[in-house]
């Protein structure tokens, strides 16, 4: 087969050059978060890591990520030792900025490696499809916005996730897949949302005989159990010995936060909150009762104390039950059909359920859906039809992360270019499905795309021209979030239909 062009390595080099040019760009509080974590892990003994609170940005990732920060700090001291002083809050010398941004680029090589493994793992006849999907992930505007401007390490973490998914394709590497995913959870606990899909798949495909669920593979059960328990023992064992597990729990799972994030993630609760705000205006005409105490929270659009003025309150228990319910549905099919495509579909739907129904979901978590879905989006045109509104909604919903004028042309031009390029290419190469496509789903995707650009223009420019700076500033955010939520929910419904009829 001829060499695919442009290659993954060539695109990675070009992307790296572009990302280096973004070094002076806007950086969020997450930049200071990770600088502070470098300082904590380098300057303090392990027993103090999860108690240190000089900065409000306390360490709240699992132990393996703390060790990752410690490793980075060993190199950071040669760049600028002052960044490793805990009391140097909001320290951002040019050496610090360049060092931290460079570490994001270097650790993203894990993603490049994982995608290369993914391309090699597919059937030769589908290599070109896997190559296109891999390029779309590598050049994702989501990763560019969140990691290389806003500042996080998602490329590194999602690289480990993709590698784990790829290792699950072959029976001979299933154990490594489980081990890799366990390591990932010990790096960032948000991936617990996907854990049930791994549990069901590994249980069914590795721990039980493929021909009969009543014939356990005891050797495999033992190997997997020892490896998983061993990884968690290495990560959390030292803190257990120091009696700090409850402190870790409080740091990793701060349930005191409100239902919604400050900027609503585009999920069911964004639509629920939007409906509540509409009902506030209609309440006098409809004779609805308004909770006056909730109005302050409702009209501010802030979080931590989210209350609803008309609709019933939503509790943590409600979100847990809904998330679990909509995860169990695809897992039932995975149990009955434990093949790789169904496994990736189940991971994707677990990501959807946690994002759409979870408690205090961040908009950045949409990558939990987009990245695994990208691996199967070109399975056929039915999958692509479900993926298309997600690609638009998920990436557009990230725009409010970058609210400074200098980054406006970067985020809009890059994202629109990516959407036009890859959605066009996906549309050209996606195979025709054996089953008939859903007419309404195709029309929804096209209509949704048509509305996206005018909405972006209004929220980014026209609103300020009409109302001026600082007036009704939450209104465009509410429109953007609610519109994006409609796309994510529509995509979820479409993919549920595809998943259960495939």
């Amino acid at each position: 087969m001829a060499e695919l062009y442009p290659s993954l390595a060539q695109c990675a080099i070009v992307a790296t050059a572009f990302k280096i040019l973004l070094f002076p760009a806007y950086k969020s509080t997450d930049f200071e978060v990770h600088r502070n974590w470098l300082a904590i892990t380098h300057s303090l003994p392990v027993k103090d890591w999860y108690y240190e609170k000089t900065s409000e940005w306390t360490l709240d990732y699992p132990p393996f990520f703390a060790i990752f920060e410690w490793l980075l700090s060993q190199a950071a001291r040669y760049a600028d030792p002052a960044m490793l002083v805990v009391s140097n809050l909001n320290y951002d010398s040019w050496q610090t900025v360049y060092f931290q941004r460079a570490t994001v680029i270097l650790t993203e090589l894990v993603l490049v490696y994982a995608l290369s493994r993914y391309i090699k793992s597919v059937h030769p006849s589908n290599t070109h499809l896997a190559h296109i999907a891999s390029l779309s992930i590598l050049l994702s505007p989501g990763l560019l916005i969140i990691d290389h401007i806003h500042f996080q390490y998602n490329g590194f973490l999602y690289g480990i996730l993709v590698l784990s998914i790829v290792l699950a394709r072959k029976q001979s590497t299933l154990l490594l897949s489980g081990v890799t995913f366990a390591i990932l959870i010990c790096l960032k606990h948000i991936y617990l949302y996907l854990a049930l899909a791994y549990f069901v798949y590994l249980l069914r495909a590795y721990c039980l005989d493929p021909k009969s669920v009543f014939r356990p593979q005891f050797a495999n059960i033992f190997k997997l159990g020892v490896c998983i328990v061993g990884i968690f023992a290495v990560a959390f064992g030292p803190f257990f010995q120091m009696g700090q597990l409850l402190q870790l729990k409080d740091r990793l799972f701060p349930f005191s936060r409100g239902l919604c994030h400050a900027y609503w993630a585009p999920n069911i609760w964004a639509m629920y909150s939007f409906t509540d705000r509409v009902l506030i205006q209609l309440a006098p005409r409809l004779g609805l009762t308004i909770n006056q105490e909730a109005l302050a929270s409702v009209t501010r659009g802030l979080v931590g104390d989210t209350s609803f003025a008309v609709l019933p309150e939503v509790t943590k228990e409600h979100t847990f039950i809904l998330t679990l319910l909509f995860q169990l549905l695809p897992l039932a099919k995975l149990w009955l059909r434990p093949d790789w495509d169904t496994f990736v579909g189940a991971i994707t739907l677990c990501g959807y359920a946690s994002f759409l129904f979870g408690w205090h979901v961040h908009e950045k978590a949409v990558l939990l859906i987009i990245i695994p879905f990208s691996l199967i989006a070109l399975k056929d045109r039915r999958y692509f039809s479900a993926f298309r509104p997600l690609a638009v909604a998920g990436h557009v919903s990230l725009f409010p992360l970058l609210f400074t004028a200098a980054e406006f042309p970067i985020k809009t031009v890059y994202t629109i270019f990516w959407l036009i390029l890859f959605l066009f290419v996906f549309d050209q190469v996606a195979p025709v499905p054996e089953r008939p496509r859903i007419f309404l789903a195709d029309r929804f995707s096209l209509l949704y795309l048509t509305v996206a650009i005018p909405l972006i223009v209004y929220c980014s420019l026209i609103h300020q021209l009409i109302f001026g700076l600082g007036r009704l500033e939450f209104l465009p955010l509410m429109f953007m979030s609610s519109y994006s939520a409609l796309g994510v929910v529509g995509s979820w419904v479409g993919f549920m239909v595809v998943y259960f009829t495939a």
Side-chain angles (χ1 to χ4, degrees), residues 414-430:
Y414 187 90
T415 301
I416 290 173
F417 178 75
W418 184 94
L419 288 170
I420 292 172
L421 174 63
F422 282 103
L423 293 186
F424 174 78
V425 173
F426 276 29
D427 188 58
Q428 296 299 307
V429 303

Side-chain angles (χ1 to χ4, degrees), residues 367-383:
L367 293 180
L368 271 178
I369 314 170
I370 293 176
I371 301 282
F373 200 165
S374 298
L375 301 178
I376 54 172
L378 289 175
K379 184 175 172 63
D380 63 42
R381 297 185 69 84
R382 297 173 77 225
Y383 284 76

Side-chain angles (χ1 to χ4, degrees), residues 83 88 125 148 151 241 263 304 378 465:
M83 80 171 82
N88 278 356
S125 62
H148 301 282
F151 196 86
Q241 289 183 326
Y263 161 61
L378 289 175
L465 294 176

Side-chain angles (χ1 to χ4, degrees), residues 29-95:
T29 52
D30 278 339
F31 183 88
E32 169 61 13
V33 168
H34 288 280
R35 186 217 59 82
N36 185 50
W37 292 359
L38 286 174
I40 289 172
T41 56
H42 184 270
S43 305
L44 301 176
V46 175
K47 65 182 179 65
D48 294 333
W49 285 2
Y50 288 95
Y51 284 93
E52 164 57 38
K53 55 181 180 180
T54 301
S55 167
E56 62 180 309
W57 313 118
T58 54
L59 180 60
D60 58 6
Y61 274 24
F64 279 1
F65 198 89
I67 295 171
F68 169 74
E69 293 279 5
W70 177 82
L71 290 171
L72 293 180
S73 75
Q74 304 310 301
R77 58 181 175 172
Y78 296 106
D80 185 353
M83 80 171 82
L84 301 176
V85 178
V86 175
S87 59
N88 278 356
L89 303 183
N90 299 310
Y91 186 79
D92 62 350
S93 67
W94 70 265
Q95 295 97 328

Side-chain angles (χ1 to χ4, degrees), residues 267-385:
N267 59 12
I268 290 293
W269 307 126
M271 300 173 72
Y272 191 83
S273 299
F274 182 79
T275 303
D276 188 69
R277 281 145 180 75
V278 172
L279 289 176
I280 291 172
Q281 307 304 318
L282 299 177
R285 298 180 184 178
L286 300 177
L288 299 174
T289 302
I290 297 180
N291 178 4
Q292 296 296 330
E293 294 181 359
L295 276 181
S297 167
V298 167
T299 53
R300 283 205 319 272
L302 299 177
V303 180
D305 57 351
T306 306
S307 298
F308 298 103
V310 179
L311 295 176
E313 294 295 334
V314 178
T315 67
K316 302 176 185 68
E317 292 75 19
H318 294 149
T319 62
F320 175 78
I321 291 170
L322 287 170
T323 301
L324 181 61
L325 171 64
F326 286 108
Q327 287 197 354
L328 290 177
L329 292 176
L331 294 178
K333 179 178 179 179
L334 180 61
W335 176 264
L336 297 173
R337 189 195 294 180
D339 59 64
W340 189 81
D341 285 338
T342 306
F343 170 56
V344 181
I347 288 176
T348 302
L349 286 171
C350 283
Y352 268 115
S354 60
F355 184 80
L356 289 174
F357 300 101
W359 180 267
H360 196 77
V361 175
H362 288 238
E363 65 280 356
K364 299 183 284 290
V366 75
L367 293 180
L368 271 178
I369 314 170
I370 293 176
I371 301 282
F373 200 165
S374 298
L375 301 178
I376 54 172
L378 289 175
K379 184 175 172 63
D380 63 42
R381 297 185 69 84
R382 297 173 77 225
Y383 284 76
F384 171 59
S385 291

Side-chain angles (χ1 to χ4, degrees), residues 434-466:
E434 296 179 1
R435 292 178 177 269
R437 291 159 65 189
I438 303 171
F439 177 81
L440 289 177
D442 287 346
R443 302 288 81 77
F444 171 78
S445 294
L446 292 174
L447 178 62
Y448 192 80
L449 268 170
T450 304
V451 176
I453 294 178
L455 182 71
I456 293 170
V457 172
Y458 171 79
C459 292
S460 303
L461 296 174
I462 297 177
H463 178 83
Q464 291 185 1
L465 294 176
I466 295 175

